[in-house]
């Protein structure tokens, strides 16, 4: 059959990338074939551009990257960042004070394109937070008041057993500032810890997907999206055709169409019913 899909959006970690953080040969071939028939390919990820480039080679077939959960959009064709949004310093300081008072470990990213660099506050030793500091040890430093300016993102990493604080902290922050967006996510590092991610208001993966769709005059009914976590919900709800991989949380698997896991080429599997190039 001839597909009406004109754009394909995929999350990276836990979706397009396998458990080793790689794109399989089959998924690479699928991305290439999508490009050959003129389908726009978008990676929608919580990763910074620096982190994306560690996972996805510049030569990997794609057209756009909606990075930092939509706070920035990169166009491969022009090799330019099309937009970059940030949280104002006053709102950053509000969130910092609340997270400190609640004894939550957190990171404060710098502005795009340097948002792989961040300041951190550690209330106690915890494995998931320690792993993040280890990964970015060359790019992070302890938080000091003089360092705080505008930021693209704050990430609060809840220790296991602290998850019950999520909604309370979210409400406390939102009561004091209306200029931010708060998203729930599962740790891409261990798939267990809950992260509270703070972004500029109206910024999300959906915002970025909608922006790119408008650039190409593509209706949402002609967009297919694939994800695996809570921070994919908004763009999955926007897309006319939505899937989650079988490694997604159970409640998401009940809500959306299912495809195979990220280790079993779920990305390619989700596209089979829409594109005839799989028959060759």
């Amino acid at each position: 059959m001839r597909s009406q899909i004109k754009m394909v959006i995929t999350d990276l970690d836990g979706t397009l990338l396998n458990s080793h953080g790689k794109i399989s040969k089959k998924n690479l071939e699928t991305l290439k074939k999508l490009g050959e028939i003129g389908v726009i390919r978008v990676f929608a990820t919580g990763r910074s551009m620096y982190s994306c480039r560690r996972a996805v080679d510049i030569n990997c077939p794609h057209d756009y990257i909606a990075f930092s959960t939509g706070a920035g959009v990169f166009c491969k064709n022009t090799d330019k960042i099309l937009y970059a949004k940030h949280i104002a310093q006053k709102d950053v300081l509000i969130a910092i004070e609340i997270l400190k008072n609640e004894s939550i470990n957190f990171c404060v990213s710098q502005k795009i394109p340097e948002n792989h660099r961040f300041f951190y506050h550690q209330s106690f030793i915890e494995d998931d937070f320690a792993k993040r500091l280890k990964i970015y040890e060359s790019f992070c430093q302890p938080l000091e008041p003089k360092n705080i300016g505008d930021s693209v993102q704050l990430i609060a990493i809840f220790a296991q057993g602290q998850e019950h604080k999520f909604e309370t902290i979210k409400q406390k922050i939102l009561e004091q500032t209306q200029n931010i967006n708060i998203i729930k996510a599962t740790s891409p590092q261990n798939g267990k810890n809950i992260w509270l991610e703070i972004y500029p208001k109206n910024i999300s993966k959906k915002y970025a997907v909608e922006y790119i769709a408008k650039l190409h005059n593509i209706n949402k009914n002609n967009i297919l999206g694939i994800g695996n976590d809570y921070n994919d919900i908004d763009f999955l709800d926007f897309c006319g055709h939505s899937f989650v991989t079988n490694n997604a949380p159970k409640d998401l698997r009940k809500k959306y169409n299912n495809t195979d896991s990220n280790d079993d080429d779920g990305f390619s599997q989700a596209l089979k019913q829409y594109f005839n190039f799989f028959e060759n």
Side-chain angles (χ1 to χ4, degrees):
M1 66 178 179
R2 189 172 182 84
S3 174
Q4 295 302 308
I5 302 300
K6 298 180 180 180
M7 180 185 297
V8 172
I9 321 293
T10 180
D11 173 50
L12 288 181
D13 294 281
T15 305
L16 184 64
L17 303 181
N18 61 26
S19 296
H20 300 290
K22 304 294 182 181
I23 303 177
S24 72
K25 182 178 179 180
K26 182 175 183 178
N27 286 342
L28 279 172
E29 185 63 24
T30 297
L31 286 168
K32 180 180 178 181
K33 288 181 177 180
L34 288 173
E36 290 172 351
I37 60 175
V39 175
I40 304 297
R41 303 151 297 179
V42 181
F43 299 156
T45 177
R47 289 175 177 256
S48 66
M49 274 302 298
Y50 173 83
S51 181
C52 284
R53 286 294 170 242
R54 293 178 62 184
V56 179
D57 186 87
I58 187 64
N59 295 317
C60 172
H62 67 281
D63 299 290
Y64 295 92
I65 300 177
F67 61 93
S68 298
T69 312
V73 168
F74 169 81
C75 175
K76 182 182 178 184
N77 184 48
T78 61
D79 194 30
K80 292 182 179 179
I81 293 174
L82 302 185
Y83 74 71
K85 307 291 184 180
H86 301 98
I87 307 169
Q89 179 189 46
K90 63 183 180 62
D91 298 310
V92 174
L93 293 172
I94 288 171
I96 285 175
E97 188 64 22
I98 292 171
L99 293 172
K100 279 185 174 181
N101 290 340
E102 293 289 338
S103 298
I104 304 295
N105 293 332
F106 63 90
C107 307
V108 182
S109 298
Q110 296 187 33
K111 295 175 66 175
I112 294 172
E114 294 296 314
N115 57 314
H116 57 287
R117 302 181 186 277
F118 62 86
F119 307 108
Y120 66 88
H121 174 80
Q122 187 170 31
S123 294
F124 55 90
I125 303 298
E126 192 278 327
D127 288 347
D128 196 38
F129 191 73
K131 184 174 183 179
R132 182 170 177 79
L133 298 187
K134 180 64 177 178
I135 292 172
Y136 291 96
E137 60 182 344
S138 298
F139 304 105
C140 66
Q141 56 184 296
L143 183 69
E144 294 183 13
K146 66 179 181 180
N147 294 331
I148 304 304
D150 294 352
S151 171
V152 66
Q153 172 193 36
L154 284 81
I155 298 177
I157 298 180
F158 290 76
Q160 293 182 47
Q162 284 188 319
E163 298 91 343
H164 65 282
K165 290 187 174 186
F166 183 94
E167 288 300 329
T168 299
I169 293 175
K170 176 180 177 180
Q171 290 307 313
K172 284 184 177 181
I173 296 173
L174 292 177
E175 284 171 2
Q176 295 192 44
T177 174
Q178 303 300 312
N179 300 316
I180 53 93
N181 185 24
I182 295 179
I183 299 171
K184 180 180 182 182
T186 306
S187 169
Q189 298 173 164
N190 64 16
K192 297 177 181 179
N193 289 62
I194 295 299
W195 289 15
L196 182 151
E197 301 183 359
I198 304 173
Y199 291 94
K201 186 177 181 179
N202 297 327
I203 289 300
S204 66
K205 291 184 180 182
K206 175 195 171 184
Y207 181 96
V209 169
E210 192 170 17
Y211 172 85
I212 296 168
K214 287 179 179 178
L215 288 179
H216 295 273
N217 196 29
I218 296 175
N219 187 283
K220 67 179 183 179
N221 293 324
N222 301 120
I223 303 175
L224 184 148
I226 309 171
N228 79 302
D229 201 5
Y230 298 107
N231 61 352
D232 299 321
I233 289 175
D234 69 331
F235 92 81
L236 292 175
D237 287 344
F238 173 78
C239 294
H241 310 264
S242 299
F243 291 80
V244 293
T245 54
N246 278 340
N247 50 289
K250 185 176 181 180
D251 52 338
L252 297 189
R253 297 200 307 273
K254 287 183 177 180
K255 183 177 181 180
Y256 301 102
N257 295 315
N258 286 198
T259 185
D260 291 345
S261 77
N262 63 318
D263 287 325
D264 294 311
D265 300 319
F267 171 77
S268 295
Q269 184 66 31
L271 301 179
K272 277 190 173 182
Q273 62 183 288
Y274 298 92
F275 297 98
N276 58 18
F277 56 66
F278 288 98
E279 299 172 3
N280 298 329

